Amino acid sequence: MRTIRTAPSRDRPATYSMRPAPGELPVATWRLDHSWESTGTFEEHAHDFPGLAYFQTTGGLLRTGRRSWPIEAGDLFVVAPGDVMGHFHAGDLAHAQGWGVFFTADVLGPDVPGAHLAWRTHPLLFPFVRGGAIGALRMRVPEAERTEWTARIQALHDELTHRQDGYREAVAAHLTLLLIAVSRLAADIVGDLRENHEQLLAEVFEVIEQRYPQPLSLRDVAAAVNISPGHLTSTVRRKTGRTVQEWITERRMVQARRLLAATELPIGEIGRQVGFPDAGYFARTFGKVHGTSPAQWRRAGAEPTTRTTRPDREAPPSG
């Protein structure tokens, strides 16, 4: 898989974009182990596409942002577009054993790159939606599931390598199953943030998760976490690239999309259930975020969710 490097600017490192050859699927897998010793060092950089780094064994070091993570068995690093990866040094992965998986959104289907779907509205991509400032998100695969994870990525790698009849459909299926597993691990966004030593962000998202259906402002969140509104705004924006109010709106939009796709509730009632007592204000906010009205979203069937009268609870976007 070929990548294109964009030179660093004053405030951004070099950025790499995936450029598949004609007819090539925009998915790449490679082993993360001692074979990387031969590559020497690698500059601090970011990708404009998402990826995963999964390790079966303890050993080695992964550098993300300004952190160096000693690798432990079952570690899964979710790399969002824009996340900064640190300088790679020869020998960092000499004692590691794992896999890297990188891809672009269009491999999941023709609707994904659409104007109002993109990254932050696809149900299997929400673990990758964060500001790039906190670096890759570290999660832990339970011990009982690690053999299955290794087999799943190996199967994906084999399909990409051998390209037998039907491999394109097989790659999409294996990647979808992998992303479903990631999204299930990422259901506890607050726990993931605490695992990554982001205690303040964890508290902020916990407040948003508990109170987003009610009137909720920056001042309310600041009071709940015992910090001034100004300091909270600057800290959250620096760490995630968004303001507290934008995250409140995003959480409400996540649930609004789910209710629009999974229920027949009137649009005004959906607005009330996600914290917008005024139906007109809900419609304007939804339109500003998605570029389409709630009614048009519902008609388009934007999220492929089976309609029910009682929708499942959806996790908030990670911070």
Side-chain angles (χ1 to χ4, degrees), residues 33-90:
D33 55 23
H34 61 83
S35 62
W36 280 65
E37 286 187 273
S38 61
T39 64
T41 60
F42 202 78
E43 65 184 334
E44 182 181 70
H45 65 285
H47 308 104
D48 67 1
F49 50 89
L52 304 167
Y54 170 63
F55 294 93
Q56 302 112 279
T57 61
T58 297
L61 193 70
L62 189 73
R63 304 172 192 272
T64 71
R66 291 183 169 83
R67 293 179 179 169
S68 296
W69 297 94
I71 295 168
E72 299 180 17
D75 271 350
L76 174 69
F77 294 89
V78 176
V79 184
D83 279 351
V84 176
M85 305 301 292
H87 286 89
F88 172 80
H89 299 278

Side-chain angles (χ1 to χ4, degrees), residues 18 20 25-27 48-50 102-108 119 175:
M18 189 178 287
L25 287 174
V27 184
D48 67 1
F49 50 89
F102 289 86
F103 60 96
T104 65
D106 51 305
V107 74
L108 296 176
W119 291 108
L175 183 61

Side-chain angles (χ1 to χ4, degrees), residues 227-273:
I227 191 172
S228 74
H231 182 48
L232 181 62
T233 294
S234 60
T235 300
V236 171
R237 183 188 286 120
R238 174 171 53 83
K239 287 182 174 289
T240 72
R242 298 187 191 184
T243 66
V244 173
Q245 190 59 54
E246 286 172 334
W247 281 119
I248 294 171
T249 299
E250 175 66 15
R251 180 62 185 100
R252 288 168 168 166
M253 293 297 102
V254 166
Q255 186 64 4
R257 292 191 298 269
R258 172 58 66 89
L259 293 175
L260 285 167
T263 79
E264 300 291 348
L265 288 171
I267 289 172
E269 176 59 25
I270 290 175
R272 285 190 289 275
Q273 289 194 19

Side-chain angles (χ1 to χ4, degrees), residues 115-117 120-122 245-246 248-263 265-303 307 314:
H116 60 82
L117 275 174
R120 63 198 183 114
T121 60
H122 192 283
Q245 190 59 54
E246 286 172 334
I248 294 171
T249 299
E250 175 66 15
R251 180 62 185 100
R252 288 168 168 166
M253 293 297 102
V254 166
Q255 186 64 4
R257 292 191 298 269
R258 172 58 66 89
L259 293 175
L260 285 167
T263 79
L265 288 171
I267 289 172
E269 176 59 25
I270 290 175
R272 285 190 289 275
Q273 289 194 19
V274 300
F276 292 92
D278 185 305
Y281 183 49
F282 168 61
R284 289 192 298 274
T285 302
F286 192 96
K288 183 177 180 181
V289 171
H290 300 91
T292 187
S293 71
Q296 290 169 329
W297 176 282
R298 171 174 272 170
R299 283 195 297 270
E303 291 187 359
R307 288 185 180 273
E314 182 167 338

Side-chain angles (χ1 to χ4, degrees), residues 145-224:
E145 299 175 16
R146 293 173 191 171
T147 300
E148 182 182 356
W149 269 74
T150 301
R152 183 181 291 123
I153 298 175
Q154 179 71 61
L156 175 62
H157 175 76
D158 289 346
E159 291 290 346
L160 288 167
T161 300
H162 301 301
R163 301 190 181 187
Q164 296 179 350
D165 289 347
Y167 90 95
R168 302 178 73 89
E169 292 80 7
V171 166
H174 284 307
L175 183 61
T176 297
L177 289 172
L178 186 64
L179 293 175
I180 289 171
V182 174
S183 68
R184 288 173 177 171
L185 283 180
D188 182 9
I189 298 300
V190 171
D192 292 335
L193 289 169
R194 289 200 171 103
E195 168 73 16
N196 287 266
H197 311 297
E198 294 288 351
Q199 184 63 33
L200 176 60
L201 290 182
E203 292 177 4
V204 167
F205 279 96
E206 188 169 31
V207 172
I208 292 173
E209 176 62 22
Q210 292 174 351
R211 297 172 57 180
Y212 77 87
Q214 309 158 14
L216 184 65
S217 67
L218 165 65
R219 291 188 176 277
D220 296 328
V221 177

